[in-house]
Amino acid sequence: VRRMGGGFGGKETQAAQWACLAAVFATRLNRPVKMRLDRQDDMVLTGKRHDFLNRFKIGFDDEGRIQGADIELASFCGYSADLSDSITDRAMFHVDNAYNLHDCRVIGHRCRTNTVSNTAFRGFGGPQGMILAECMLDDIARKVGKDPLDVRKLNYYKEGEQTHYGQPIEDFYLPELIETLENNCDYRKRREDIAAFNKTSPWKKRGLALTPVRFGISFTTTFLNQAGALVHIYTDGSIHLNHGGTEMGQGLYTKVAQVVANEFAVDVDMVRVSATTTDKVPNTSATAASSGTDLNGKAAQNACITLKKRLVDFAVDYFKVAGDAVRFENNHIVVTGDDGQEDWVSFAEFVNLAYVNRVSLSTTGFYKTPEIHYDPKAERGKPFLYYAFGATCAEVEIDTLTGEYKILRADILHDVGNSLNPAIDIGQVEGAFVQGTGWLTSEELLWDNQGRLSSASAATYKIPTSVDIPEVFNVELFDRPAAADTIYHSKAVGEPPLMHGIAVFCALRDAVASVSDYKVSPQLDTPATPERILNAVMACQAAE
């Protein structure tokens, strides 16, 4: 795969039909065939993210503490199953988000529909489940007359508790992360200012929401959690790297190259990454589930460790020193003699020396995620190695006469563990937030009376543009190494930040609820288009 372009899930399985068509023509014509859909055909013929119909009954005490919940999720799958089973499972895993639902029942329905078969999309069902949790907490807060953030704090998981699927809660520092964001973004003062603004503004209303993200990392299909890598060192000191992960603009090649460069303590421009191909690394898992760096970085590191041991063993024998007297540093091998004198040999010179002495400079690496397991019959297990955390505070303003809105400000604090590349990670968070906001506010699928998709172009399917980005947009990374044995104790960053967009949706509901002085929890379906916001405003006004 040389040039994939964007991924976002849609190419995980649904590139197959076009590959098959190209293969038929290639076979018949006995020549290479390239097939490219135009944008409108692509939007009509390929699957979308799954729509969900979510329903819940929830019990809580007078303070807003959850006592139990009965939740049903119905995913609209299309005419065939595709990945719908796993997507619905992940939605069911994430209906609790950061909160202990205590006695709960979660049912997931897979609904066959007469549309194209829906497929993977960034978050893979997690966002559709997680938004339910945040809507439930907002509804509880309005019912008991408290600030939604305070109700959220009452219901956070505590260390040692278990999820509804039996996974222990470990290394749960999300409350600390949220408190940091609450203080940094001045949440309490802004809540007071918004209340004052709404009392004096007859038509414009503002809303505020601070919502958490707790997203499980690993493939829920256990056998997919494996990866391989191939590493060659050449006599000029350059390093060739191939692994099973595909680059789709997320910076995977850069991160894994950084891992290899760090292991040998050489400059990253000494590492060359070749195109992903199964004739070099076979039986690869999809670059999905936010696990690309976790899996392939570890596999590459495993290969590097094998090569380093060979090189150190050679150095010990050649220079007649102990193993701890050899180290890799700043593009050199440093050998410390018995007299304490350091001999610095350039990496290229040392590698050439090893080659002359017939040391193998090539090896494969392999990694499989430890500890994870899940029994679908018992509905218990540990499907995730760890959780990625984050929180967003979003402020919006709506026009109650038209339903139009704008995002005034978003403050995001996101947990990527010990970041391998902060520039890439911040870019991922920023892009995911905008994409998640589009999912929940403007991206609407519409069909005509003949069942044809009418929102099949950028003119009718409204993805976010630069004007939809918050006027004030602050993104920071939470500096806390992962407790799990991940690559350099980093955390995944591909999918989790998409769910920061939920804060915008909750802020819009908050603004609508202000019309009834927060006594009514508005019915607002996604996407929250201006039409839906206006309808929700009128319903709140009628209920006063």
Side-chain angles (χ1 to χ4, degrees):
V1 179
R2 296 185 180 276
R3 298 177 184 87
M4 183 186 294
F8 305 118
K11 297 174 183 176
E12 186 172 350
T13 58
Q14 295 212 352
Q17 55 191 318
W18 317 117
C20 290
L21 287 170
V24 168
F25 281 96
T27 301
R28 290 186 176 182
L29 300 175
N30 196 29
R31 59 187 297 181
V33 171
K34 178 185 289 185
M35 182 174 185
R36 180 186 292 124
L37 302 180
D38 67 32
R39 176 60 64 212
Q40 188 162 355
D41 287 342
D42 184 18
M43 294 182 74
V44 169
L45 297 172
T46 56
K48 321 296 185 284
R49 60 163 77 88
H50 286 63
D51 351 30
F52 271 65
L53 175 64
N54 296 341
R55 291 175 175 162
F56 68 91
K57 294 179 181 178
I58 193 159
F60 49 92
D61 64 19
D62 292 341
E63 295 298 312
R65 291 185 183 88
I66 296 171
Q67 306 297 308
D70 189 359
I71 295 169
E72 282 191 82
L73 310 176
S75 63
F76 297 175
C77 305
Y79 73 91
S80 66
D82 197 77
L83 294 169
S84 299
D85 252 351
S86 297
I87 287 168
T88 308
D89 283 349
R90 189 168 283 256
M92 295 166 69
F93 285 137
H94 285 84
V95 294
D96 55 341
N97 195 14
Y99 316 109
N100 191 337
L101 302 181
H102 296 283
D103 295 323
C104 74
R105 180 178 70 168
V106 181
I107 297 174
H109 303 285
R110 285 79 168 162
C111 303
R112 185 175 180 177
T113 63
N114 61 341
T115 60
V116 292
S117 184
N118 287 328
T119 190
F121 184 79
R122 194 178 195 172
F124 203 77
Q128 292 97 316
M130 195 179 294
I131 191 173
L132 178 66
E134 297 311 314
C135 289
M136 288 193 301
L137 270 291
D138 281 342
D139 289 355
I140 293 170
R142 283 187 270 273
K143 189 70 174 179
V144 299
K146 298 175 72 170
D147 187 300
L149 181 57
D150 292 331
V151 173
R152 286 180 165 87
K153 288 182 175 182
L154 281 176
N155 289 288
Y156 290 151
Y157 276 115
K158 295 180 176 58
E159 197 80 13
E161 293 180 336
Q162 284 193 351
T163 65
H164 56 289
Y165 46 89
Q167 175 153 343
I169 297 296
E170 302 170 321
D171 309 307
F172 189 69
Y173 48 82
L174 181 58
E176 179 186 340
L177 183 152
I178 291 171
E179 186 174 355
T180 301
L181 178 62
E182 177 188 351
N183 293 330
N184 290 351
C185 76
D186 206 10
Y187 174 86
R188 300 295 174 178
K189 176 64 165 57
R190 289 166 63 194
R191 175 62 79 183
E192 293 174 1
D193 291 345
I194 286 172
F197 174 87
N198 287 343
K199 285 182 179 179
T200 58
S201 175
W203 312 123
K204 297 288 183 72
K205 302 293 181 182
R206 292 182 179 175
L208 187 69
L210 198 161
T211 61
V213 171
R214 183 189 68 107
F215 189 78
I217 303 298
S218 292
F219 285 98
T220 49
T221 302
T222 304
F223 73 83
L224 294 174
N225 294 283
Q226 58 177 304
L230 175 66
V231 176
H232 306 315
I233 306 177
Y234 293 95
T235 54
D236 63 352
S238 63
I239 302 170
H240 170 97
L241 165 65
N242 192 279
H243 56 79
T246 55
E247 177 62 55
M248 57 191 85
Q250 82 279 39
L252 175 64
Y253 276 16
T254 299
K255 283 188 172 182
V256 182
Q258 284 180 281
V259 169
V260 172
N262 184 70
E263 288 296 316
F264 292 109
V266 299
D267 295 337
V268 73
D269 59 8
M270 294 297 292
V271 181
R272 291 289 181 268
V273 186
S274 60
T276 304
T277 171
T278 51
D279 64 4
K280 288 187 171 63
V281 177
N283 307 319
T284 61
S285 297
T287 305
S290 303
S291 61
T293 302
D294 282 6
L295 294 175
N296 297 288
K298 274 288 195 179
Q301 183 188 44
N302 177 253
C304 294
I305 289 171
T306 300
L307 288 173
K308 284 172 68 177
K309 185 178 186 307
R310 288 180 195 166
L311 291 172
V312 169
D313 289 347
F314 164 68
V316 166
D317 182 63
Y318 187 86
F319 294 106
K320 309 303 181 189
V321 294
D324 59 1
V326 180
R327 71 179 189 272
F328 295 77
E329 184 175 333
N330 194 22
N331 297 295
H332 287 76
I333 303 294
V334 184
V335 181
T336 305
D338 293 337
D339 58 358
Q341 185 72 26
E342 290 186 345
D343 186 12
W344 287 63
V345 183
S346 74
F347 183 73
E349 182 182 348
F350 177 74
V351 165
N352 191 65
L353 185 64
Y355 166 74
V356 169
N357 284 273
R358 297 184 296 178
V359 176
S360 172
L361 300 174
S362 174
T363 192
T364 60
F366 182 76
Y367 174 75
K368 62 178 181 179
T369 308
E371 303 175 14
I372 56 174
H373 59 91
Y374 184 71
D375 182 348
K377 291 185 178 179
E379 300 174 344
R380 310 290 286 179
K382 183 181 179 181
F384 307 117
L385 178 62
Y386 64 88
Y387 295 101
F389 301 130
T392 300
C393 182
E395 183 176 346
V396 301
E397 182 178 278
I398 66 171
D399 187 326
T400 59
L401 298 178
T402 64
E404 293 177 295
Y405 64 88
K406 58 183 176 181
I407 307 171
L408 301 178
R409 177 174 170 179
D411 298 86
I412 300 175
L413 184 58
H414 193 77
D415 166 41
V416 295
N418 184 27
S419 176
L420 298 180
N421 189 312
I424 288 176
D425 290 344
I426 289 174
Q428 285 286 290
V429 174
E430 290 173 342
F433 168 80
V434 174
Q435 194 172 46
T437 300
W439 162 52
L440 293 173
T441 61
S442 63
E443 297 181 35
E444 187 172 23
L445 293 170
L446 299 169
W447 284 267
D448 63 21
N449 293 332
Q450 284 72 45
R452 292 183 297 241
L453 184 70
S454 56
S455 53
S457 71
T460 51
Y461 186 81
K462 303 294 186 180
I463 63 172
T465 67
S466 58
V467 299
D468 300 302
I469 295 173
E471 296 173 4
V472 179
F473 193 16
N474 302 314
V475 176
E476 292 186 19
L477 301 179
F478 190 66
D479 188 16
R480 178 75 64 87
D485 184 23
T486 56
I487 185 68
Y488 302 147
H489 296 280
S490 63
K491 283 189 176 184
V493 71
E495 293 171 297
L498 180 94
M499 282 144 282
H500 288 301
I502 294 174
V504 172
F505 179 75
C506 291
L508 288 170
R509 287 189 81 210
D510 185 67
V512 174
S514 71
V515 173
S516 66
D517 197 24
Y518 306 100
K519 293 181 174 62
V520 175
S521 224
Q523 174 66 40
L524 181 61
D525 293 333
T526 62
T529 58
E531 294 89 345
R532 286 198 171 110
I533 290 174
L534 182 59
N535 288 337
V537 166
M538 291 190 295
C540 280
Q541 290 170 336
E544 280 190 280

